[in-house]
């Protein structure tokens, strides 16, 4: 209270479940440095801490013209119809009361702030409006936000976790446990009163639980506390504890296998992980072994680590097809991108456009953008009832939008509102390029590089767009500057190799590609281009070896049969 403190958390790096914005090694120019956009109040904080906030960002000037009604959260954020209420209320009579909304719209008001999401509109969210018309909810198909089992990792602000939980899926609302005005709990946590309100009498079809028998811990101990086991807290901004609302079960074996934290070890540090695993195996072994949570964690971990084989793809497809919870179904759908070479997953992507959940339809639109000749299906999604789906479909078809139409205006609002983020700046650049305004496109690309000037990935994307604009000189400058910061970044080396190869500098290109493949031996495109240049130089023994190294990433290529024949001619084995 009333104290400045360091949210970068120097000295907290090894503290379990304590997270901080960036770390002590952030540099000026990094997105997460305190001078960067990740710490920008207008872009990242004000919308949820002010009443009727308008960001007012101008991407051309790169300035904010922000406006708001009131510091802090006022009644109007969660109530509508207040004008009549204020005009008619007296000290003894409430007059015309605020409008009552159906529960889903009330929850959407809660979600508008208590969620990790991307904003779609420049307008402040108003009670009575729908979440999916204003926001794109982040789920575990975006790596780095959640652990593979669904536990919170980054600062995800409750909604995603709760929607993925069995309780959220069953229709339980925030107000079952929290007072809407004070945010305090409706019942105490002592003796598990809050949880047992439902779990002792079967309210809302909750399973009956006897805490001591269930937990194997004596009454009143931390191990007998529902929330300590199923809602462990993590500390964000160095001192803000928040509980996980996924209501998952601790699984110590996943800590050993995948590094996922478990609540048992939070208490039993001295006994060690092996002791905790043995205890969990003795008490819950069969239940944990058969749990969907454990199977899901192993599958998602493999995908996060880059697994793209057919067996993994089909296992993920089965998850997507059989999942009832739409937040998890959307997660599985969003993770299918590496497996789109499988015909059955392409078919699922098309069918998912008719899924009842906008979370899933949004991910299906993204999947279809990776497939050729899907314009007709995406066109249908341009008329979806939810803006989040329309805009996702519009990403691929924005060149064909009528700028004066409703969707064209929605797309323009979205771009301008998000131009202070790197992806938004790149989208503005791409739109300007499609309209033939190369100079404005170049301005937006360079704007993106300034937003996160130390990021190699941003530099690589900027270089690609600059090259499309015909500015190879600036593209090279961006790449070479980034390589001074990250000299062995495979993507940067690969992109620079393509540019110098186009200039006829074959030897330099070979050197860059060798460095790229040394940095990332599974960079199959780098191996393929190395094969092409070496073959052009008639260095056939080396080129065949490069093609063999490229082959795992080329098996779906139409030219694969021809490449197999080439390898055999050079005496190389074909796996």
């Amino acid at each position: 209270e009333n104290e400045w403190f360091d949210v970068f958390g120097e000295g907290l790096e090894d503290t379990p479940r304590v997270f901080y914005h960036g770390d002590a090694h952030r540099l000026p120019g990094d997105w997460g440095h305190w001078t960067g956009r990740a710490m920008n109040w207008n872009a990242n904080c004000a919308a949820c801490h002010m009443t009727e906030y308008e960001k007012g960002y101008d991407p051309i000037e790169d300035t904010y013209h922000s406006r708001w009604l009131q510091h802090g959260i006022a009644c109007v954020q969660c109530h509508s119809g207040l004008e009549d209420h204020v005009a008619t209320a007296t000290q003894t009579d409430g007059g015309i009361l605020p409008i009552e909304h159906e529960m889903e719209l009330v929850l959407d008001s809660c979600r508008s702030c208590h969620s990790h999401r991307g904003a779609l509109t420049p307008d402040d969210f108003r009670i009575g409006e729908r979440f999916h018309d204003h926001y794109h909810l982040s789920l575990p198909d975006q790596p780095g936000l959640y652990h593979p089992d669904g536990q919170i990792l980054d600062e995800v602000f409750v909604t995603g976790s709760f929607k993925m939980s069995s309780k959220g899926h069953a229709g339980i609302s925030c107000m079952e446990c929290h007072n809407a005005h004070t945010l305090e709990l409706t019942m105490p946590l002592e003796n598990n009163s809050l949880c047992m309100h439902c779990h002792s009498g079967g309210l809302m079809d909750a399973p009956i639980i006897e805490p001591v028998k269930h937990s194997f811990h004596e009454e009143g101990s931390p191990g007998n506390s529902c929330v300590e086991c199923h809602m462990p807290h993590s500390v964000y901004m160095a001192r803000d504890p928040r509980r996980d609302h996924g209501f998952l079960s601790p699984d110590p074996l996943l800590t050993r296998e995948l590094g996922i934290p478990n609540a048992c070890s939070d208490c039993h540090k001295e006994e060690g992980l092996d002791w905790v695993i043995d205890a969990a195996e003795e008490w819950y072994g069969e239940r944990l072994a058969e749990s969907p949570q454990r199977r899901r964690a192993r599958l998602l971990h493999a995908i996060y680590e880059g697994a793209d084989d057919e067996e993994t793809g089909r296992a993920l497809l089965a998850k997507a097809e059989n999942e009832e919870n739409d937040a998890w179904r959307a997660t599985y759908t969003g993770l299918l991108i590496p497996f789109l070479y499988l015909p059955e997953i392409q078919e699922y992507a098309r069918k998912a456009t008719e899924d009842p959940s906008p979370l899933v339809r949004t991910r299906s639109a993204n999947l279809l953008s990776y497939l050729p000749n899907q314009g007709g299906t995406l066109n249908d999604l341009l008329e979806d009832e939810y803006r989040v789906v329309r805009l996702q479909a519009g990403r691929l078809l924005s060149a064909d939008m009528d700028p004066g139409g409703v969707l064209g205006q929605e797309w323009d609002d979205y771009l301008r509102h998000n131009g202070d983020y790197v992806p938004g700046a790149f989208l503005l650049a791409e739109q300007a390029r499609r309209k033939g305004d190369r100079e404005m496109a170049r301005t937006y690309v360079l704007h993106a590089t300034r937003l996160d000037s130390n990021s190699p990935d941003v530099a690589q994307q900027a270089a690609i767009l600059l090259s499309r604009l015909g500015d190879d000189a600036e593209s090279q400058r961006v790449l070479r500057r980034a390589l001074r910061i990250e000299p062995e970044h495979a993507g940067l080396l690969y992109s620079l190799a393509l540019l110098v190869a186009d200039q006829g500098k074959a030897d330099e290109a070979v050197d860059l590609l060798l460095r790229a493949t040394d940095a990332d031996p599974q960079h199959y495109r780098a191996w393929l281009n190395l094969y092409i240049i070496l073959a052009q130089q008639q260095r056939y023994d080396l080129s065949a070896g490069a093609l063999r190294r490229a082959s795992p990433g080329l098996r779906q290529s139409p030219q694969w049969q021809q490449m197999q024949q080439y390898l055999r001619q050079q005496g190389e084995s074909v796996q």
Side-chain angles (χ1 to χ4, degrees):
E1 294 285 341
N2 300 316
E3 173 192 359
W4 290 100
F5 63 95
D6 182 7
V7 297
F8 284 82
E10 186 171 4
L12 297 173
E13 292 88 341
D14 298 322
T15 307
R17 295 188 189 268
V18 175
F19 300 86
Y20 40 87
H21 288 282
D23 56 45
H25 306 293
R26 292 281 190 177
L27 300 172
D30 288 350
W31 177 262
H33 188 263
W34 69 270
T35 60
R37 291 300 169 94
M39 296 292 150
N40 181 278
W41 178 88
N42 307 68
N44 300 294
C45 310
C48 291
H49 292 274
M50 312 295 280
T51 298
E52 295 197 356
Y53 173 73
E54 298 174 8
K55 183 165 71 170
Y57 180 69
D58 186 330
I60 298 176
E61 297 180 3
D62 189 24
T63 57
Y64 293 93
H65 305 281
S66 302
R67 297 164 57 88
W68 56 92
L69 178 65
Q70 181 176 330
H71 284 278
I73 303 302
C75 305
V76 71
Q77 288 295 91
C78 303
H79 295 281
S80 58
L82 292 180
E83 297 86 351
D84 292 337
H85 171 62
V86 171
T88 59
T90 67
Q91 289 185 336
T92 58
D93 183 5
I96 299 175
L97 297 178
I99 297 170
E100 289 191 15
H101 295 280
E102 61 182 71
M103 181 54 68
E104 190 63 23
L105 291 178
V106 173
L107 294 178
D108 276 356
S109 183
C110 303
R111 294 162 184 156
S112 68
C113 280
H114 294 275
S115 60
H116 188 290
R117 74 288 191 278
L120 307 177
T121 67
D123 305 319
D124 189 37
F125 182 91
R126 299 288 194 276
I127 178 68
E129 296 176 331
R130 303 181 303 183
F131 180 90
H132 298 298
D133 283 330
H134 285 268
Y135 305 106
H136 178 10
L137 180 65
S138 303
L139 293 171
D141 56 334
Q142 181 179 339
L145 297 180
Y146 296 86
H147 290 286
D149 65 340
Q151 285 189 76
I152 59 174
L153 173 58
D154 206 341
E155 206 170 3
V156 290
F157 305 108
V158 177
T159 290
S161 300
F162 192 66
K163 284 189 71 65
M164 290 186 291
S165 74
S166 59
K167 292 172 175 54
H169 182 58
I172 295 174
S173 75
C174 309
M175 277 66 79
E176 299 292 338
C177 301
H178 297 276
N179 181 292
H181 292 100
T182 67
L183 301 186
E184 297 296 326
L185 295 173
T186 55
M187 283 175 279
L189 290 178
E190 289 75 14
N191 297 321
N192 297 316
S193 297
L194 180 65
C195 303
M196 297 309 296
H197 173 67
C198 288
H199 285 285
S200 64
L203 268 66
M204 302 184 73
D205 297 323
I208 304 299
I209 292 175
E210 300 177 40
V212 173
K213 184 177 180 180
H214 174 74
S215 71
F216 296 92
H217 286 72
E218 64 183 21
E219 187 172 346
S221 68
N224 188 247
S225 167
C226 305
V227 296
E228 293 301 328
C229 293
H230 298 289
M231 300 182 70
H233 71 262
S234 299
V235 178
Y236 297 97
M237 298 187 71
R239 58 174 64 186
D240 185 8
R242 303 176 199 168
R243 290 199 178 274
D244 193 323
H245 282 61
F247 305 99
L248 297 165
S249 298
D251 189 343
L253 183 62
L254 292 180
T255 305
R256 173 188 285 167
E257 288 184 5
L258 310 178
I260 296 172
N262 75 88
C264 307
S265 291
D266 289 347
C267 285
H268 295 283
K269 296 181 178 68
E270 292 185 3
E271 289 85 351
L273 181 59
D274 288 341
W275 183 92
V276 171
I277 291 173
D278 290 342
E281 182 65 28
E282 178 182 351
W283 294 335
Y284 309 109
E286 185 176 344
R287 184 187 305 175
L288 286 174
E290 297 177 355
S291 74
Q293 179 182 323
R294 181 180 285 184
R295 293 196 295 270
R296 176 175 66 227
R298 288 169 173 165
L299 178 62
L300 265 62
H301 175 78
I303 294 168
Y304 290 163
E305 292 296 306
D308 58 2
D309 57 280
E310 294 184 13
E311 181 179 359
T312 302
R314 291 193 172 100
L316 183 61
L317 175 61
K319 285 279 191 185
E321 290 180 323
N322 297 307
E323 178 60 62
E324 293 184 2
N325 184 309
D326 69 330
W328 276 115
R329 194 163 69 250
T331 295
Y332 302 142
T333 301
L335 289 170
L336 285 169
I337 293 171
F339 309 100
L340 281 170
Y341 62 85
L342 294 171
E344 57 265 46
I345 291 179
Q346 295 176 21
E347 179 60 26
Y348 171 82
R350 287 185 282 268
K351 288 193 303 184
T353 61
E354 300 177 0
D355 191 281
S357 169
L359 290 171
V360 178
R361 296 199 301 277
T362 302
R363 272 75 179 178
S364 72
N366 188 45
L367 286 179
L368 291 174
S369 71
Y370 289 87
L371 297 174
N373 304 318
Q374 299 301 318
T377 307
L378 284 169
N379 266 317
D380 292 340
L381 292 178
L382 293 179
E383 299 180 2
D384 195 274
E385 64 172 310
Y386 287 99
R387 186 187 313 231
V388 65
V389 182
R390 297 195 298 269
L391 288 178
Q392 185 61 53
R395 283 176 180 267
L396 186 66
L397 303 174
S398 58
D400 303 323
M401 287 183 191
D402 175 8
V406 173
L407 184 58
Q409 186 59 54
E410 288 180 345
W411 180 247
D412 189 62
D413 287 345
Y414 169 74
L415 292 184
R416 293 181 65 82
H417 183 65
N418 288 284
D420 52 344
Y421 293 97
V422 170
F426 280 142
L427 284 171
L428 282 166
E430 184 61 23
Q431 176 165 276
R433 184 187 71 84
R434 287 174 171 175
K435 291 180 177 179
D437 192 342
R438 293 177 176 271
E439 190 55 38
M440 184 56 70
R442 184 178 183 276
T443 298
Y444 284 136
V445 172
L446 296 179
H447 169 50
T449 64
R450 288 190 294 270
L451 291 174
D452 196 359
S453 58
N454 291 348
S455 167
D457 296 324
V458 170
Q460 185 182 9
Q461 181 65 22
I464 292 170
L465 286 172
L466 288 166
S467 184
R468 288 178 182 171
L469 293 169
D471 195 345
D472 286 349
E474 185 66 27
S475 179
Q476 278 204 46
R477 189 194 70 77
V478 169
L479 289 170
R480 292 189 188 278
R481 179 193 176 280
L483 281 167
R484 288 196 292 271
I485 301 171
E486 295 276 354
E488 300 307 318
H489 186 278
L492 295 174
L493 293 164
Y494 170 72
S495 294
L496 184 56
L498 298 185
L499 283 175
V500 300
D502 285 343
Q503 295 176 333
K505 300 175 182 178
D507 290 340
E508 184 181 0
V510 168
D511 177 64
L512 290 165
L513 289 169
L514 286 171
R515 287 171 59 192
T517 54
D518 186 55
D520 179 7
Q522 293 185 320
H523 198 311
Y524 301 124
R525 302 301 301 182
W527 283 115
L528 177 61
N529 281 273
L530 186 60
Y531 145 70
I532 293 170
I533 296 175
L534 290 171
Q536 290 172 345
Q537 293 179 327
Q538 299 183 354
R539 298 164 70 180
Y540 297 118
D541 53 338
L542 297 176
S543 68
L547 181 58
R548 179 171 53 81
R549 296 296 299 271
S551 62
L554 300 173
R555 295 185 186 278
Q556 308 307 317
S557 167
Q559 291 79 35
W560 176 231
Q561 296 296 328
Q562 180 181 349
M563 293 176 181
Q564 282 183 307
Q565 183 179 359
Y566 171 82
L567 286 172
R568 292 191 183 95
Q569 290 173 347
Q570 304 307 316
E572 290 280 342
S573 62
V574 179
Q575 301 297 327

